[in-house]
Amino acid sequence: MVTENKTLVVIFGGSGDLAHRKLYPALFQLYLKGSLNKHFAVIGTARRPWTHEFFREGVIENLSDGTLEQRQAFAEHFYYQSHDVQDSEHYVALKNVIDKLDDKYQIGGNRLFYMAMAPSLFGTIAEHLRSEHLLSHDGYNRLIIEKPFGHDYESALALNNAIVNTFDEDQVFRIDHYLGKEMVQNIPCIRFANPFLNAVWNRDYIDNIQITLAESLGVEERGGYYETSGALRDMVQNHIMQIVAMLAFPRPEKYDDRAINQAKSQVFASLPVYTPEQVRTKFVRGQYGEDASGKQAAYRNEDKIEADSTVETFVAGEIDLDMPQWQGVPFYVRTGKRLPAKKTRIDVVFKADQSELFTEQPANPVLTIDVEPDLGVEFTLNGKEIGTSSLIKVDQLQYLLDEEQQKKVPDAYERLLLEAMLGKQGNFAQWEGMTGSWHFVDAIRKAWSQEKDVDFPNYQSGTMGPKAADELLSKTGRHWIYQG
Ligand code: NAD
């Protein structure tokens, strides 16, 4: 039995790409499933003078499932308000619309404010929501914000300070869409619901953990943004760090949002701040050149990219957590553009049997969590050759979701919007965690900024990144389990 959520969603940046491609389809899925029904309204705001009808047509165009009647009935709940976020007067008009719709749909004062626009405008919106009395006194007031949350610790702190006057931390929902992915949300269950895994999830049995977030696309039309970001800030500070935390947090007392967030914050607090020398030995950066055929352009020849850009499109590194249970266990992370295929996966590499029980050395057992495009779990184990031989052979157990099962997996935005409506904060980035991950990333950036000779491009499009990424592991006798 699905319970209806009464809510009024105000989307700042309602005419934008994120709203149309992700948010409206996600809300529609919630509507089709009954999580949204009669008592909801969505107000899209942006500067352009659109009519409600024009806005609704644009919303419908981006919906694919359901019948035409369902799409139209859903879009009837959408309203457009021309609004410049820097103009105080406009908030007065917006408040009138909010009050009217709250009344019309009997919403009871529940408000979700979604900032689908440049972070530089978050502060002024939050400030005006308070000063112009757009917050309700009956239901909840929640703020949903998008990445990038700052470009370093200082700017993230300034951004946070700009919203804390209006919203408490438990009213702030910072989207990290990797936390909305099925198999990322599955990590605590895999770890803690299987006592045989729970028992060995530590430095005594795990040799290293590998996280790969590979993209096959290049920078595409996001050149302007990417030049100010790079892979470290775009992927490591947020998505990869959240996955590290999901894998490393200590077993909580309770399986609830608060306990999990508290446990995760222990991981963020234990992130190292590397010296420039440590950065040189533990982190590798790269930038793609053209592909073997010369058809795909090098990063430096892409649109809106400086001809001598030193922005990294690839990062690989080793994270050593300062936690007793993880002493000596490197978390190897890797992300890059123009790699052979789009792939997100986690490989937990267990220690190999070191005894002399067998005549040959057994392999390291590996637990693989496939996050995308496949979803599932694989186990690579030692077995015996068939027959009378006692030689060891490596077997693989595999459980991957089939097409039908994959269809049932909610999109990350659908899931996270619902969780925000329910007030569940477990799958959102917390400020405390951000502090640790920004300090970690800032130290690497600082060290890189002091390096003079950057030899880019240093990997060919369509390959798994620069050689140095392999050497990072091979120097300790290890290798990347996922080879592309
Ligand atoms: P966009 O440029 O397509 O949309 C921005 C929106 O903000 C537009 O509706 C625009 O009219 C509105 N806007 C800008 N200035 C305004 C002002 N002064 N007053 C009122 N409205 C104003 O951008 P987007 O791709 O939708 O991204 C929005 C935010 O979400 C960005 O911070 C982006 O980094 C982040 N984000 C986007 C995606 C994505 O898939 N597009 C994914 C992750 C994060």
Side-chain angles (χ1 to χ4, degrees):
M1 176 67 187
V2 179
T3 314
E4 178 193 0
N5 290 282
K6 295 182 181 184
T7 192
L8 192 147
V9 188
V10 182
I11 300 184
F12 294 98
S15 67
D17 173 72
L18 177 75
H20 280 89
R21 265 189 331 106
K22 298 285 185 190
L23 308 185
Y24 303 149
L27 288 168
F28 187 49
Q29 289 302 323
L30 294 177
Y31 178 75
L32 289 178
K33 290 171 186 168
S35 297
L36 292 176
N37 188 354
K38 290 196 176 82
H39 304 281
F40 82 98
V42 180
I43 304 174
T45 80
R47 281 172 300 187
R48 299 173 206 186
W50 286 358
T51 61
H52 298 316
E53 286 66 35
F54 184 79
F55 178 48
R56 287 170 189 163
E57 279 165 27
V59 170
I60 291 176
E61 264 170 34
N62 283 276
L63 308 178
S64 49
D65 299 331
T67 62
L68 183 62
E69 286 72 34
Q70 284 172 315
R71 286 180 228 162
Q72 282 168 340
F74 169 71
E76 284 297 307
H77 291 255
F78 279 65
Y79 297 82
Y80 184 77
Q81 180 69 16
S82 179
H83 178 94
D84 183 336
V85 299
Q86 275 156 332
D87 187 331
S88 303
E89 288 294 310
H90 286 194
Y91 288 87
V92 178
L94 181 60
K95 177 178 160 39
N96 284 335
V97 181
I98 291 176
D99 289 345
K100 240 190 250 163
L101 293 178
D102 195 318
D103 202 38
K104 174 171 177 176
Y105 291 100
Q106 302 279 295
I107 289 170
N110 291 337
R111 286 172 199 174
L112 274 185
F113 298 98
Y114 201 121
M115 300 206 188
M117 52 171 37
S120 55
L121 300 169
F122 293 177
T124 184
I125 300 173
E127 184 55 37
H128 278 102
L129 291 178
R130 189 174 55 86
S131 66
E132 304 308 316
H133 313 290
L134 276 78
L135 304 176
S136 85
H137 298 291
D138 314 326
Y140 60 69
N141 295 287
R142 294 180 187 144
L143 177 70
I144 307 186
I145 41 189
E146 273 292 339
K147 79 165 193 181
F149 198 83
H151 55 267
D152 55 15
Y153 171 70
E154 292 302 329
S155 58
L157 179 64
L159 205 51
N160 209 49
N161 287 342
I163 57 177
V164 291
N165 281 341
T166 305
F167 295 96
D168 296 335
E169 178 68 10
D170 64 4
Q171 295 176 300
V172 180
F173 293 74
R174 296 181 197 82
I175 293 255
D176 185 313
H177 70 278
Y178 274 75
L179 288 177
K181 292 185 187 290
E182 180 69 24
M183 291 309 294
V184 174
Q185 293 200 352
N186 205 343
I187 294 171
C189 194
I190 293 170
R191 288 183 53 191
F192 303 123
N194 300 297
F196 76 99
L197 280 181
N198 182 49
V200 297
W201 208 264
N202 54 51
R203 65 187 297 259
D204 296 334
Y205 291 94
I206 293 180
D207 180 82
N208 71 91
I209 294 185
Q210 305 178 9
I211 301 167
T212 301
L213 268 62
E215 297 179 285
S216 57
L217 293 178
V219 70
E220 311 301 305
E221 69 288 345
R222 290 172 72 224
Y225 159 72
Y226 206 77
E227 278 285 273
T228 65
S229 161
L232 188 66
R233 292 195 274 217
D234 193 40
M235 301 294 276
V236 178
Q237 181 275 329
N238 36 44
H239 312 314
I240 285 186
M241 287 305 184
Q242 288 294 340
I243 296 175
V244 168
M246 292 296 268
L247 291 163
F249 73 77
R251 188 183 170 98
E253 298 262 308
K254 278 198 265 170
Y255 194 66
D256 68 20
D257 291 343
R258 192 174 289 269
I260 288 183
N261 276 338
Q262 271 169 4
K264 276 170 68 181
S265 67
Q266 289 185 46
V267 180
F268 289 113
S270 77
L271 284 168
V273 175
Y274 288 146
T275 64
E277 186 46 39
Q278 286 172 313
V279 172
R280 258 189 294 285
T281 57
K282 291 179 191 288
F283 263 78
V284 166
R285 57 180 159 155
Q287 188 191 78
Y288 62 79
E290 57 185 24
D291 67 346
S293 70
K295 283 194 186 128
Q296 290 189 304
Y299 178 75
R300 286 177 174 178
N301 295 332
E302 301 265 32
D303 194 24
K304 299 196 190 112
I305 305 297
E306 293 292 321
D308 58 352
S309 173
T310 56
V311 168
E312 78 287 352
T313 61
F314 178 97
V315 179
E318 170 184 338
I319 302 174
D320 304 320
L321 297 174
D322 187 14
M323 297 171 80
Q325 61 271 50
W326 296 116
Q327 288 298 319
V329 182
F331 283 67
Y332 293 115
V333 301
R334 178 173 56 159
T335 185
K337 290 192 178 295
R338 284 278 181 79
L339 304 189
K342 182 168 174 62
K343 188 91 178 160
T344 301
R345 68 180 249 171
I346 298 157
D347 293 291
V348 181
V349 184
F350 290 91
K351 291 187 172 171
D353 181 81
Q354 297 292 341
S355 72
E356 291 177 2
L357 196 60
F358 301 98
T359 47
E360 54 183 331
Q361 169 80 58
N364 293 82
V366 179
L367 171 71
T368 299
I369 301 175
D370 290 292
V371 177
E372 65 185 351
D374 297 323
L375 284 81
V377 180
E378 299 173 57
F379 230 135
T380 307
L381 300 169
N382 293 292
K384 183 188 82 55
E385 285 280 3
I386 298 169
T388 52
S389 160
S390 59
L391 290 179
I392 282 177
K393 90 172 175 20
V394 172
D395 291 321
Q396 201 170 37
L397 312 181
Q398 194 180 56
Y399 169 69
L400 294 181
L401 268 58
D402 63 26
E403 223 172 284
E404 280 307 302
Q405 289 169 313
Q406 284 218 24
K407 277 191 200 145
K408 290 187 197 151
V409 173
D411 168 74
Y413 276 92
E414 176 191 337
R415 204 188 290 254
L416 294 174
L417 274 164
L418 179 61
E419 289 178 13
M421 286 173 200
L422 296 170
K424 285 172 63 59
Q425 280 218 318
N427 293 309
F428 292 86
Q430 308 294 298
W431 172 243
E432 241 181 90
M434 291 215 146
T435 309
S437 63
W438 271 125
H439 286 317
F440 176 76
V441 158
D442 284 351
I444 298 169
R445 287 197 47 75
K446 193 168 161 213
W448 283 351
S449 70
Q450 288 160 2
E451 287 174 12
K452 295 246 156 39
D453 307 316
V454 183
D455 189 17
F456 282 169
N458 61 354
Y459 71 98
Q460 194 177 61
S461 285
T463 67
M464 277 310 283
K467 262 205 199 107
D470 293 330
E471 288 159 9
L472 199 64
L473 276 72
S474 63
K475 68 186 178 195
T476 59
R478 299 179 172 110
H479 64 274
W480 291 103
I481 301 295
Y482 176 64
Q483 296 282 330

